[in-house]
């Protein structure tokens, strides 16, 4: 089977980790990954009750050589809304050199780059040029509890010189990038409770508190119209990027108007005045609302004051913001903003700190050289606004940096309908990783 046949097979497994109805599919994806790693001397599925399996493998046959910890995730985001897909999310199709499916880029295609590079080197040479430990998880998109407890508890076994992760994006087509900063996250729900039951809005409107209005009031009290988060103390730990980093961002090839039109697709960009798009998406924290549940959302009209409302929200964090402190600040701010007649509670779903990588690390220079060789262009150093929760823990528990070598493209549609992966990037990614491993 070619690597592309393998990718199609992998993408057909609907491993949606957040949905209990897909638990068996998630396990099937773990087993698929383990089978793919069977070329290594040791491979195993690591189980924990109520958790999706971790896949661990290793090849420690290069004494004196560095050890890399390869990380990826085999789980995917939910495919919804299904009606917006041009082809079913778990029936991959290829159009114009792109493969379309949920997880094509994030992160099955990119995880398979690592697995394929390792397999091809072993098949060619009988062994790897360096030592490799592989840890692939199935909960990255839904909180990562399993790996979060596993890594600190198995730090000596996971010892390595650096982690290698393909789960980020290039800056532009054909322009290779190393990601040296990711935002952290605090994800939670604001639960608002008002009247004991749903009420007729004509009979009680004017006296009964409305939890949906209260949720809106709370949300707008947390962030102002300029995108500034008004929670006391929230920015205390936030620091500006260094002048060198800001200068490097300013020299990236970037047309804000084109970005607005083609990537964002809205009539205007929003956010804090005085900060560039890069600063706003990479170096400043944010608050976003993902969904609001409550009241009547069916067709037509129904006059009701709902008894409850729930808003799903997340805060993206930047380096030095502590998720635990932020959660306390959020709770205090919500309490202060809660109007009379309702109660509001913040329920934390998951959190992870931001991560940054020292661009001067010698392995980063080797990674950049491998990328430059494969793509024929100088590698740029960027950050990303997304989060890969384990990166912070690799630093904290294992003391290692993560080399974030991404092959996604800005229009790959991660987490969106019609997610795709550009097949030339899949193949160049495999070549890059092989070059990198050989260069150690
Ligand atoms: N691969 C993404 C993160 C990413 C996307 C990094 C684009 C760089 C560029 C990752 O799988 C992801 O989406 N993570 C979630 C984590 C969250 C659910 C804890 C995210 O960022 O929303
Ligand atoms: Mn991912």
């Amino acid at each position: 089977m070619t690597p592309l046949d393998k990718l199609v097979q992998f993408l057909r497994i609907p491993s949606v980790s957040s949905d209990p109805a897909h638990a068996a599919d998630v396990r099937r994806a773990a087993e698929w990954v383990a089978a793919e790693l069977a070329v290594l001397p040791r491979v195993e599925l690591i189980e924990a009750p109520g958790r999706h399996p971790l896949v661990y493998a290793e090849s420690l046959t290069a004494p004196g050589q560095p050890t890399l910890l390869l990380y990826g995730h085999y789980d995917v985001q939910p495919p919804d809304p299904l009606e917006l897909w041009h082809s079913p999310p778990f029936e991959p199709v290829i159009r114009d050199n792109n493969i379309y499916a949920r997880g094509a880029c994030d992160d099955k295609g990119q995880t398979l780059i690592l697995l394929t590079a390792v397999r091809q080197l072993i098949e060619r040479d009988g062994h790897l040029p360096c030592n490799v430990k592989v840890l692939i998880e199935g909960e990255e998109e839904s909180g990562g509890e399993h790996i979060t407890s596993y890594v600190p508890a198995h730090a000596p076994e996971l010892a390595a010189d650096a982690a290698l992760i393909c789960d980020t994006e290039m800056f532009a087509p054909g322009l290779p990038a190393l990601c040296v900063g990711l935002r952290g996250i605090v994800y939670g729900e604001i639960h608002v409770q008002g009247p004991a039951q749903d009420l007729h809005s004509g009979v009680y409107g004017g006296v009964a508190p409305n939890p949906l209005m209260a949720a809106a009031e709370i949300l707008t009290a947390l962030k102002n119209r300029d995108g500034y988060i008004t929670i006391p103390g929230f920015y205390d730990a936030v620091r500006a990027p260094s002048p060198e980093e800001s200068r490097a961002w300013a020299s990236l090839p970037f047309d804000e108007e084109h970005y607005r039109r083609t990537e964002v697709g809205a009539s205007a960009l929003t956010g804090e005045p005085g900060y560039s798009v890069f600063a706003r998406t990479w170096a400043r924290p944010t608050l976003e609302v993902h969904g609001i549940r409550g009241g009547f959302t069916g067709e037509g009209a129904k006059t009701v004051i709902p008894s409850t409302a729930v808003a799903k929200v997340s805060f993206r964090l930047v380096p030095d913001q502590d998720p635990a402190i932020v959660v306390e600040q959020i709770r205090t701010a919500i309490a202060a903003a809660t109007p009379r007649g309702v109660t509001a509670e913040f329920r934390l779903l998951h959190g992870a700190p931001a991560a940054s990588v020292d661009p001067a690390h010698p392995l980063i220079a080797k990674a950049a050289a491998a990328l430059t060789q494969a793509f024929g262009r100088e590698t740029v150093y960027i950050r990303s606004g997304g989060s890969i929760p384990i990166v912070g823990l690799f630093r904290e528990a294992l003391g290692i940096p993560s080399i974030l070598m991404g092959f996604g493209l800005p229009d790959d549609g991660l987490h969106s309908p019609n997610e795709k992966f550009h097949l030339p990037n899949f193949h160049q990614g495999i070549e890059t990783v092989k070059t990198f491993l050989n260069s150690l």
Side-chain angles (χ1 to χ4, degrees):
M1 261 211 275
T2 66
L4 179 56
D5 295 332
K6 293 251 170 88
L7 179 55
V8 169
Q9 228 183 33
F10 195 14
L11 289 172
R12 295 184 71 87
I13 308 173
S15 47
V16 181
S17 59
S18 60
D19 184 352
H22 281 293
D25 297 316
V26 175
R27 159 164 296 275
R28 207 145 51 81
E31 286 164 356
W32 190 93
V33 169
E36 214 34 48
L37 284 164
V39 287
L40 299 194
R42 175 176 167 203
V43 52
E44 63 191 77
L45 235 53
I46 298 162
E47 314 271 2
R51 299 278 163 240
H52 297 306
L54 294 165
V55 185
Y56 179 77
E58 64 182 29
S59 165
L60 305 176
T61 55
Q65 296 300 313
T67 302
L68 280 185
L69 178 59
L70 312 187
Y71 164 86
H73 61 95
Y74 64 79
D75 65 319
V76 300
Q77 286 271 321
D80 317 61
L82 288 176
E83 64 279 10
L84 295 185
W85 284 79
H86 301 313
S87 51
F90 298 108
E91 292 172 30
V93 298
I94 296 170
R95 292 190 295 270
D96 300 334
N97 258 339
N98 293 309
I99 187 162
Y100 289 83
R102 168 57 83 235
C105 174
D106 185 8
D107 184 39
K108 285 178 174 169
Q110 297 209 70
T111 295
L112 193 55
I113 285 176
L114 294 172
L115 306 184
T116 307
V118 163
R119 170 185 280 268
Q120 289 184 353
L121 288 175
I122 291 193
E123 283 174 352
R124 192 192 65 187
D125 304 334
H127 58 89
L128 290 174
C130 61
N131 300 303
V132 153
K133 299 177 180 178
V134 187
L135 188 59
I136 311 291
E137 72 160 313
E139 299 177 347
E140 196 271 352
E141 301 288 8
S142 58
E145 280 89 354
H146 194 178
I147 199 167
T148 303
S149 56
Y150 185 82
V151 167
H154 295 81
E157 295 147 69
L158 294 172
D161 295 284
L164 174 62
I165 302 178
C166 301
D167 193 19
T168 51
E169 296 175 328
M170 298 174 39
F171 184 72
L175 180 56
L178 279 171
C179 179
V180 295
L182 290 163
R183 289 196 287 194
I185 190 167
V186 164
Y187 197 117
E189 293 174 339
I190 302 172
H191 285 248
V192 184
Q193 171 75 53
Q197 69 277 313
D198 286 8
L199 298 172
H200 188 295
S201 70
V203 177
Y204 298 101
V207 296
N210 184 318
L212 278 167
M213 284 301 294
E217 270 181 66
I218 292 167
L219 291 171
T220 50
L222 299 182
K223 179 168 123 171
N224 74 17
R225 298 174 67 118
D226 274 339
Y228 182 83
I229 294 158
T230 47
I231 298 175
F234 186 78
Y235 289 92
D236 285 357
V238 174
R239 54 188 162 83
S242 70
E244 299 94 281
E245 200 173 19
S246 299
R247 263 200 304 280
W249 294 352
S251 66
L252 290 168
F254 184 67
D255 176 345
E256 186 166 323
E257 181 53 19
H258 182 261
Y259 168 83
R260 177 194 67 74
R261 196 162 34 79
T262 63
E263 281 192 51
V264 180
S267 61
L269 298 180
T270 58
E272 295 176 277
Y275 291 92
S276 70
V277 166
F278 301 131
R280 266 140 64 207
T281 54
W282 296 348
R284 299 288 292 171
T286 60
L287 160 58
E288 292 301 338
V289 186
H290 308 295
I292 298 184
R293 189 168 70 214
F296 178 67
T297 56
E299 287 301 320
K302 178 184 180 191
T303 46
V304 66
I305 295 173
S307 152
T308 62
V310 179
K312 288 183 181 281
V313 300
S314 76
F315 295 79
R316 293 285 167 169
L317 309 183
V318 296
D320 295 347
Q321 282 187 294
D322 178 338
I325 293 175
V326 166
V327 168
E328 284 319 305
Q329 292 170 336
I330 294 167
R331 292 205 162 115
T332 305
I334 289 176
T338 303
R340 71 175 189 279
V342 303
T343 59
E345 182 200 346
F346 182 73
R347 297 193 194 157
L348 176 67
L349 294 187
H350 58 75
S356 47
V357 182
D358 175 9
H361 193 283
L363 288 172
I364 290 284
K366 290 204 170 172
L371 279 164
T372 296
Q373 185 181 325
F375 286 87
R377 271 179 86 181
E378 207 53 50
T379 301
V380 293
Y381 292 69
I382 59 174
R383 293 200 207 176
S384 171
S387 309
I388 305 177
I390 198 61
V391 172
L393 201 55
F394 283 163
R395 154 78 57 208
E396 226 179 87
L398 307 180
I400 57 172
S402 291
I403 301 162
L404 298 160
M405 201 187 245
F407 300 98
L409 288 180
D411 68 349
D412 276 348
L414 317 186
H415 299 197
S416 303
N418 305 304
E419 177 180 351
K420 69 167 176 71
F421 193 29
H422 190 51
L423 288 172
N425 285 10
F426 177 56
H427 298 295
Q428 274 167 305
I430 297 166
E431 290 314 308
T432 307
V433 171
K434 287 197 288 185
T435 304
F436 176 56
L437 296 185
N438 275 323
S439 75
L440 292 176

